[in-house]
Amino acid sequence: TITASVGRGGKNRPEDVTAVQVALNKRAQAGLKEDGKCGPKTIGAIEAFQKALGQATLSFPSCHCVD
């Protein structure tokens, strides 16, 4: 579970970023390094996942990504 927003404009707490990276690697085979850093690849993977779900690309994940 994440405790704060992750992505462009998010709080990007390292433990939350890592949780999102793990979830994106598991659910979307994103190939992200699970390092807790919210860089361009992580932001791009969040946006691609949201787009695939038909959501607006807000850059921080909804609960669908990490639940």
Side-chain angles (χ1 to χ4, degrees):
T1 305
I2 62 172
T3 60
S5 58
V6 173
R8 191 182 327 270
K11 294 192 185 222
N12 297 319
R13 294 176 51 190
E15 60 272 18
D16 293 334
V17 175
T18 299
V20 169
Q21 291 167 331
V22 168
L24 287 168
N25 284 340
K26 180 178 178 183
R27 296 190 180 210
Q29 293 76 46
L32 297 171
K33 186 175 182 181
E34 297 168 3
D35 60 3
K37 297 177 184 175
C38 191
K41 290 181 182 179
T42 298
I43 291 170
I46 292 168
E47 291 174 346
F49 187 76
Q50 289 173 324
K51 185 176 180 180
L53 292 177
Q55 298 178 344
T57 55
L58 302 172
S59 293
F60 47 89
S62 69
C63 60
H64 302 305
C65 179
V66 293
D67 281 347

